[in-house]
Amino acid sequence: MEGITLNILKGITDNYINLTSTIITLVTIGLITVITIITYGLERRLNDKSPFYLKLFTHLVEGALLAGSMIILQQTFHVLNNGAVNNGWLYANAQLTILLYAMYLLRNKITLLINLLMPFAYHHSSNIERLGSSRWPFFLISYIFLVIIIFYIYWQTNSLKDSTIKYLTLQILYGAAWWILLWVDHSFSISNILNMLVVFVIYMAIIRYCEHKMQLTLNGYDTLKKAVNYDELTGIRNRSNLDKNSQEIYEQYSHEDNVPLSMAMFDIDHFKLFNDQYGHSTGDEVLRHVSHTMERELYLKKTHGQIFRFGGEEFIIIFRGKNADECKPIIIDLRNTLLHSPLFFNGKKLNVSVSFGVSELKPTDSGFADLFNRVDSYLYKSKNAGRNKMTIENVTYNFDETTK
């Protein structure tokens, strides 16, 4: 046993502590960094309601990234070795590392398929002569074992990420199955297989550490982005986000003759009284209650409305693809939902009403500011008419007298 241990340590020292192995390791880390960043950017654009073609395109791109990374590693190794395949386990371990990492990171059917087919596409592993070899039962058993491991990882990715023991165990089993498959076509000694398995575990440990650091960085970026674009109190988009997108919105819809754009601005009636009578904590709760109620209803009713907190108790809703008349029943619904959902806070029942101003983008508008100023004036008209009203294209309606 002591002799095997010494052989393993000697093998690691001779084969991995050198310039070639260092370059391969750095290339592997670089490829995984690229895969992580691109995948992160693609996946965060998807959700359960994303169209099938978008999901398929994303997964195909991720599969292409994985396949391309495997090819780059192989070509890098061949360049470093002047076309020879000596010490091929260097890039074999690197490729196995990327394959397994992709299973944890991507978890899509394209990645699953690549992992399942890779044993047949690997160097020499598709050699028909293996069927005449006395070792072919080992290939069959190891491949079945590998398939079980791959499917287990595919379905249990989240639990494996949270358990170091499970993660390490599956990693060792995955590597062992792969190296037995390769042993069928290449004559490795037991000490060499153990050597390669130990280095594979070390590779994965390095990659997992780097991935953890990258994830912290990306999460920090998301936190910063949210702080810049979302209101800290209510959690909805803020004025900065509206200002940043307003010119783009105007440019897009001012050239779309058949696709309307409407804006609604509303504020909370007599909001100052909530602060004066019950304190600022109650006022904050009223703001959260109104913004969350409006945002939820806009989503549930599939209105394509996007809400922003403009400042204080004022909010803006952008309705893409709807004219002012189409917005009227939506706004009535929003107001009625708010009216029938009073806020209960600190033992008090608080009824909240709102006033609206609504207008759509017109061909005569020279910029987003023209639409904004018009909507703002309509809002003040509703407030001056006694509040709890809406003004649409300069016509004021009393909510209690309107019908859809």
Side-chain angles (χ1 to χ4, degrees):
M1 185 67 183
E2 182 179 351
I4 294 177
T5 303
L6 290 175
N7 286 336
I8 292 174
L9 293 175
K10 186 177 185 302
I12 293 174
T13 302
D14 293 343
N15 296 316
Y16 287 89
I17 304 180
N18 54 54
L19 181 60
T20 299
S21 64
T22 301
I23 294 175
I24 290 294
T25 301
L26 292 176
V27 170
T28 303
I29 293 174
L31 289 171
I32 282 179
T33 301
V34 171
I35 291 173
T36 302
I37 293 174
I38 294 178
T39 299
Y40 184 82
L42 291 173
E43 291 289 341
R44 66 205 301 264
R45 298 175 183 273
L46 298 179
N47 55 55
D48 293 339
K49 296 185 180 297
S50 297
F52 172 76
Y53 71 86
L54 184 58
K55 293 181 180 179
L56 178 61
F57 173 76
T58 299
H59 294 164
L60 287 173
V61 171
E62 292 170 346
L65 279 173
L66 175 57
S69 297
M70 305 291 282
I71 294 172
I72 290 173
L73 271 176
Q74 186 181 48
Q75 294 303 313
T76 300
F77 183 79
H78 284 175
V79 169
L80 292 173
N81 287 273
N82 297 317
V85 293
N86 298 326
N87 299 324
W89 50 79
L90 280 170
Y91 84 85
N93 260 334
Q95 287 184 322
L96 296 187
T97 300
I98 290 183
L99 277 173
L100 181 56
Y101 177 76
M103 285 291 295
Y104 287 114
L105 177 69
L106 306 180
R107 209 179 80 173
N108 61 54
K109 291 181 174 60
I110 303 296
T111 306
L112 176 68
L113 185 62
I114 291 175
N115 265 272
L116 293 174
L117 295 180
M118 199 62 192
F120 300 100
Y122 211 77
H123 180 67
H124 283 324
S125 64
S126 59
N127 192 336
I128 197 67
E129 292 179 3
R130 90 155 52 90
L131 296 178
S133 170
S134 60
R135 296 178 180 176
W136 75 265
F138 290 98
F139 179 88
L140 179 61
I141 293 172
S142 296
Y143 181 71
I144 293 174
F145 185 54
L146 179 64
V147 169
I148 293 173
I149 294 171
I150 289 172
F151 274 104
Y152 184 84
I153 293 173
Y154 180 78
W155 292 112
Q156 300 294 324
T157 300
N158 292 331
S159 65
L160 293 176
K161 285 182 178 179
D162 297 331
S163 173
T164 301
I165 294 177
K166 285 184 179 180
Y167 183 91
L168 182 60
T169 301
L170 265 295
Q171 175 184 325
I172 293 173
L173 293 176
Y174 180 91
W178 253 106
W179 280 111
I180 292 175
L181 288 173
L182 294 174
W183 169 78
V184 172
D185 296 311
H186 304 273
S187 297
F188 299 127
S189 65
I190 294 178
S191 61
N192 275 337
I193 291 178
L194 291 175
N195 167 23
M196 291 180 279
L197 191 55
V198 168
V199 174
F200 174 63
V201 172
I202 294 173
Y203 259 66
M204 284 302 300
I206 295 173
I207 296 307
R208 192 179 191 194
Y209 174 80
C210 293
E211 186 269 341
H212 177 68
K213 291 300 182 182
M214 280 190 291
Q215 194 63 48
L216 290 177
T217 301
L218 293 172
N219 288 342
Y221 170 77
D222 266 358
T223 300
L224 178 62
K225 184 176 180 181
K226 185 172 182 179
V228 171
N229 291 288
Y230 290 82
D231 179 56
E232 182 179 3
L233 177 64
T234 63
I236 64 175
R237 290 175 173 81
N238 58 20
R239 179 173 181 173
S240 175
N241 187 277
L242 176 66
D243 292 341
K244 184 169 62 177
N245 291 287
S246 59
Q247 184 60 32
E248 179 185 342
I249 293 172
Y250 172 77
E251 291 294 338
Q252 178 182 354
Y253 286 92
S254 62
H255 297 95
E256 294 284 350
D257 296 334
N258 299 320
V259 183
L261 175 82
S262 294
M263 176 192 292
M265 180 184 290
F266 71 91
D267 74 2
I268 302 170
D269 294 334
H270 306 294
F271 177 73
K272 188 174 182 297
L273 294 179
F274 290 109
N275 285 328
D276 293 342
Q277 291 183 13
Y278 305 111
H280 287 281
S281 61
T282 300
D284 289 347
E285 197 61 33
V286 169
L287 287 170
R288 281 191 285 264
H289 171 68
V290 171
S291 60
H292 295 169
T293 300
M294 295 293 192
E295 185 177 42
R296 183 185 67 245
E297 289 303 305
L298 286 169
Y299 173 76
L300 291 177
K301 296 183 183 301
K302 300 179 180 180
T303 61
H304 303 291
Q306 195 172 42
I307 186 170
F308 303 81
R309 184 185 177 193
F310 187 72
E313 68 273 22
E314 289 186 332
F315 298 82
I316 286 177
I317 303 175
I318 300 293
F319 291 101
R320 300 171 187 261
K322 294 188 181 299
N323 59 38
D325 288 337
E326 291 172 322
C327 291
K328 181 179 178 181
I330 296 173
I331 290 169
I332 294 173
D333 273 342
L334 292 174
R335 178 265 184 183
N336 289 341
T337 298
L338 186 64
L339 181 67
H340 296 109
S341 304
L343 171 64
F344 293 89
F345 185 68
N346 287 339
K348 300 179 181 64
K349 177 183 177 182
L350 304 177
N351 293 304
V352 184
S353 65
V354 290
S355 299
F356 271 89
V358 185
S359 182
E360 65 183 85
L361 186 65
K362 301 182 183 302
T364 55
D365 291 335
S366 60
F368 190 83
D370 289 347
L371 173 61
F372 174 85
N373 291 333
R374 188 165 59 252
V375 171
D376 187 43
S377 68
Y378 293 164
L379 170 61
Y380 275 92
K381 186 172 183 179
S382 294
K383 294 165 68 173
N384 291 334
R387 302 180 187 270
N388 193 24
K389 293 177 174 58
M390 64 177 175
T391 299
I392 301 178
E393 301 298 10
N394 209 29
V395 179
T396 302
Y397 302 87
N398 187 326
F399 278 117
D400 294 326
E401 297 174 357
T402 58
T403 59
K404 297 181 185 179

